[in-house]
Amino acid sequence: MAEKDWIRRYFAPLAKAPGAAGLTDDTAELSKGYGPLIATVDAMVEGVHFFSDDPIETVARKLVRVNVSDILGSGARPGEALLTLGWPQAGRDPGQIRTFSDSLGTELDRWGILLAGGDTVITPGGLFLSLTLTGECLGPAPVRRGGGRPGDEVWVTGEIGAARRGYLWKTEGRDEARWLSALQAPDLPPLEAGNLIASHASAAMDVSDGLLGDLASLAAASGLAAQIELERVPFAGRATSLVEMLDLASWGDDYQLLFAASPQSSGFIENSGFKVTRVGRLTEGAGLSATVCGKPVNLPETLAFEHGRVGQPPVRS
Ligand SMILES: Nc1ncnc2c1ncn2[C@@H]1O[C@H](COP(=O)(O)OP(=O)(O)OP(=O)(O)O)[C@@H](O)[C@H]1O
Ligand SMILES: Cc1ncc(C[n+]2csc(CCOP(=O)(O)O)c2C)c(N)n1
Ligand SMILES: [Mg+2]
């Protein structure tokens, strides 16, 4: 079996988008709902975003989720997807493509996403994946990082740092095995989080690179300063020291949602039906400052994951 058979057998059955043309044409016609149409793309590379021995099922799940978080964080509902699959020419059984497509199909269904098309290639390197995902805004426009106002409260969904704990377990045998699942396929807030953000957030984004760095980005985009109260952050497990808090809050791979909202919305947000925690606020000024129980803390220079930065851990498999 090769490219054409993989597409026909494994991906065509998933291509439920009305404009997918059964994956037999050059282009897909994308659907547009009532709200503005948005798109995001996130790639995943073996040894950079996942380990070579991660189950192919979780690689498929993570690929979908890292994109869904961007759509929810814009106050939108996921729509249609385009998949790029770069399969290694050696070292990985092509029989895994079937398992990958089964898991991908289940995960796309879970979020109501319809596959519209994609591309399949062989690569001399490791497994490479990229998903492009559209979304339909639930409000009149996407919620941007830059809409925050002075006095807005800052909220985060779910927990922060579970994937970091999974990585420490995998690479150093530190922490507990139970966190590995969060590294392999992050837990996301539910679809309703997109509605909450559309209705109440002045600014929002997903937390992919690290809570502290991402909050600094949101504040900068809004032309404001941000203050974070670290003892309020819903860390996965118990963070017992400042060093641990800073580590969990600056590593990334969380895919939770970070947003700013007027204090008038706080009652509604607290009763959203899923986990959302107030962690800080936006003020006039610039930059990020942090406190623990009211005491200012010094923040490290590096607050987020960044590809290509000197000092980033080496690519590993
Ligand atoms: N190679 C590229 N070409 C065009 N636009 C890009 C490219 N890389 C990033 N961008 C754009 O830059 C902006 C920021 O991208 P970035 O990947 O940092 O977003 P993010 O959601 O925080 O990322 P990630 O989920 O990958 O951590 C987005 O608008 C994105 O579309
Ligand atoms: C094998 C392996 N090594 C390192 C990491 C850590 N990691 C990789 S990308 C990223 C941030 C988001 O990336 P992007 O900006 O591409 O969305 C993080 C925290 C991992 N998950 N697996
Ligand atoms: Mg993002």
Side-chain angles (χ1 to χ4, degrees):
M1 280 220 291
E3 180 187 347
K4 295 270 186 265
D5 306 296
W6 295 334
I7 296 169
R8 190 171 45 81
R9 281 214 200 172
Y10 302 136
F11 296 115
L14 308 186
K16 300 175 190 167
L23 304 191
T24 57
D25 216 312
D26 299 295
T27 56
E29 183 180 357
L30 296 179
S31 309
K32 197 184 165 318
Y34 294 105
L37 182 67
I38 57 172
T40 185
V41 58
D42 254 318
M44 289 190 1
V45 178
E46 182 173 336
V48 177
H49 297 84
F50 59 92
F51 290 93
S52 301
D53 61 358
D54 280 351
I56 196 74
E57 292 93 330
T58 62
V59 172
R61 264 177 237 143
K62 184 167 182 174
L63 180 67
V64 174
R65 293 182 194 180
V66 301
N67 281 282
V68 167
S69 65
D70 280 309
I71 297 293
L72 300 181
S74 298
R77 176 178 34 229
E80 295 176 331
L82 297 164
L83 167 73
T84 301
L85 182 65
W87 199 261
Q89 67 182 351
R92 194 178 274 273
D93 176 8
Q96 286 186 9
I97 298 178
R98 181 197 195 116
T99 317
F100 172 81
S101 65
D102 282 348
S103 177
L104 184 79
T106 305
E107 188 65 22
L108 293 175
D109 286 348
R110 180 187 158 183
W111 298 101
I113 300 167
L114 307 177
L115 189 68
D119 192 20
T120 302
V121 296
I122 285 292
T123 165
L127 179 58
F128 174 90
L129 306 137
S130 173
L131 196 79
T132 299
L133 180 60
T134 69
E136 180 188 356
C137 293
L138 297 163
V143 178
R144 295 300 190 190
R145 298 176 183 183
R149 291 175 294 248
D152 279 354
E153 295 176 326
V154 174
W155 300 80
V156 69
T157 61
E159 293 188 328
I160 295 296
R164 173 57 168 163
R165 293 197 184 283
Y167 186 84
L168 289 173
W169 185 80
K170 174 91 182 170
T171 55
E172 298 173 23
R174 275 207 274 152
D175 230 308
E176 293 167 42
R178 69 186 163 112
W179 303 112
L180 186 60
S181 64
L183 176 68
Q184 292 179 334
D187 282 327
L188 254 54
L191 278 175
E192 293 74 50
N195 288 290
L196 183 74
I197 284 180
S199 317
H200 291 280
S202 56
M205 65 187 298
D206 66 333
V207 182
S208 55
D209 293 333
L211 177 65
L212 295 175
D214 287 337
L215 177 54
S217 300
L218 186 147
S222 298
L224 296 171
Q227 296 172 352
I228 185 165
E229 297 166 61
L230 288 171
E231 77 283 1
R232 287 181 172 273
V233 174
F235 288 113
R238 231 159 48 85
T240 51
S241 68
L242 176 60
V243 171
E244 191 178 18
M245 286 179 178
L246 294 176
D247 180 47
L248 297 178
S250 58
W251 195 74
D253 253 358
D254 296 296
Y255 306 104
Q256 293 298 332
L257 306 178
L258 176 68
F259 62 97
S262 158
Q264 286 169 356
S265 292
S266 63
F268 196 93
I269 295 168
E270 275 162 357
N271 291 314
S272 62
F274 52 91
K275 189 172 164 76
V276 197
T277 312
R278 190 173 68 74
V279 296
R281 66 176 57 248
L282 299 178
T283 61
E284 299 281 5
L288 175 69
S289 57
T291 54
V292 176
C293 302
K295 291 205 186 94
V297 301
N298 286 327
L299 288 173
E301 208 172 293
T302 301
L303 298 175
F305 182 98
E306 197 178 358
H307 292 281
R309 195 186 53 236
V310 176
Q312 198 71 52
V315 172
R316 52 188 304 160
S317 54

